[in-house]
Amino acid sequence: MPGIPSPARWRNAAAASAVGQDGSLSIVGGKSTNWFVNPADGHSEANSPVLLFKPADDFTLRAKVTVDFHTRWDAGCLVVYADEATWGKFCFEMTHEEHH
């Protein structure tokens, strides 16, 4: 994929993924996928597809996240990942506060 500075690998396979002619990446997570740690009890789920790569020291990411929202908690996310216990995610998500 253009712009990715090293080989990439999947952490959980995507239901579907594709690289467009413009270099864009499309990932479909599939039904009932999640990456969440409950702050109340520490229970976690981590079955969402994630494409991991090691960035160069001067790596800059520019992204546009779009989501085909259907149900509560549908989301598109960008994640900064160091290891299984050290990561942060930024999500565009449909919450229970969604109004029609």
Side-chain angles (χ1 to χ4, degrees):
M1 195 169 94
I4 300 297
S6 65
R9 67 177 175 85
W10 286 104
R11 178 185 176 274
N12 303 323
S17 65
V19 176
Q21 290 182 348
D22 62 355
S24 62
L25 174 63
S26 174
I27 300 172
V28 176
K31 188 173 179 138
S32 300
T33 56
N34 199 1
W35 191 357
F36 178 73
V37 177
N38 187 324
D41 63 11
H43 173 78
S44 66
E45 294 181 53
N47 62 349
S48 294
V50 179
L51 186 61
L52 297 171
F53 60 91
K54 183 175 173 137
D57 290 341
D58 62 349
F59 181 77
T60 300
L61 175 69
R62 184 177 70 193
K64 176 181 177 182
V65 176
T66 57
V67 182
D68 188 13
F69 293 116
H70 292 286
T71 61
R72 183 171 56 170
W73 310 125
D74 282 353
C77 302
L78 297 174
V79 177
V80 177
Y81 178 93
D83 58 45
E84 290 294 319
T86 311
W87 50 269
K89 67 180 183 175
F90 307 92
C91 291
F92 180 39
E93 180 174 64
M94 180 187 285
T95 68
H96 63 331
E97 298 165 356
E98 168 67 21
H99 299 285
H100 296 278

